[in-house]
Amino acid sequence: MRPGVAEAALTAAILVLCSAGLLLNPDGGDPQSSSASAQVLWGAVYAYAIVGLWRCRYAAAMLVRRSLPLVFLVAELGLTAMWSADPAVTLKRAIGLLGTTAVAYYLVCRFEHRRALAIVAVAMGAT
């Protein structure tokens, strides 16, 4: 099923919120100083991407199989929390990378390349 205009508009709005999440965290993404509102915002964005990936799970599974080096890199970064000097920060950053990767996979799976680029351009132009 092809995505409609409403889904593209919602996705662009979500990407604008991603930029707003960066603005809510003035310390440049330091997870120890991130605000609670920024964390909630990012959680909502990641949840939207995961639900979207579930809707196109067969295409997502094929994309994951085609990009195994990226999947292994993200998994390895999550595992580094076991020997990190500050495991909580490392795990938090790994979850952030996992969520950002899920957003990228969602864009690739759900939209044609030109439309995905147009959505990102609109979102970045709005911020």
Side-chain angles (χ1 to χ4, degrees):
M1 184 166 128
R2 292 185 49 173
V5 175
E7 186 176 357
L10 181 61
T11 302
I14 294 290
L15 292 176
V16 169
L17 287 176
C18 287
S19 297
L22 292 174
L23 296 175
L24 289 173
N25 190 4
D27 294 328
D30 182 14
Q32 292 177 333
S33 64
S34 64
S35 67
S37 58
Q39 291 178 4
V40 168
L41 183 64
W42 282 111
V45 169
Y46 298 157
Y48 176 79
I50 290 169
V51 169
L53 283 172
W54 179 256
R55 290 181 60 201
C56 57
R57 58 189 166 272
Y58 300 111
M62 187 169 48
L63 182 62
V64 166
R65 272 183 258 145
R66 289 183 181 173
S67 61
L68 283 178
L70 177 62
V71 172
F72 289 139
L73 178 65
V74 172
E76 179 185 10
L77 291 175
L79 291 174
T80 60
M82 289 192 287
W83 60 81
S84 173
D86 194 349
V89 172
T90 304
L91 189 59
K92 192 172 186 179
R93 289 183 177 172
I95 290 170
L97 179 64
L98 178 65
T100 304
T101 305
V103 170
Y105 276 167
Y106 169 71
L107 283 172
V108 170
C109 288
R110 195 70 184 130
F111 300 101
E112 296 172 353
H113 295 281
R114 287 182 187 260
R115 194 161 187 195
L117 285 174
I119 289 169
V120 171
V122 166
M124 295 303 111
T127 53

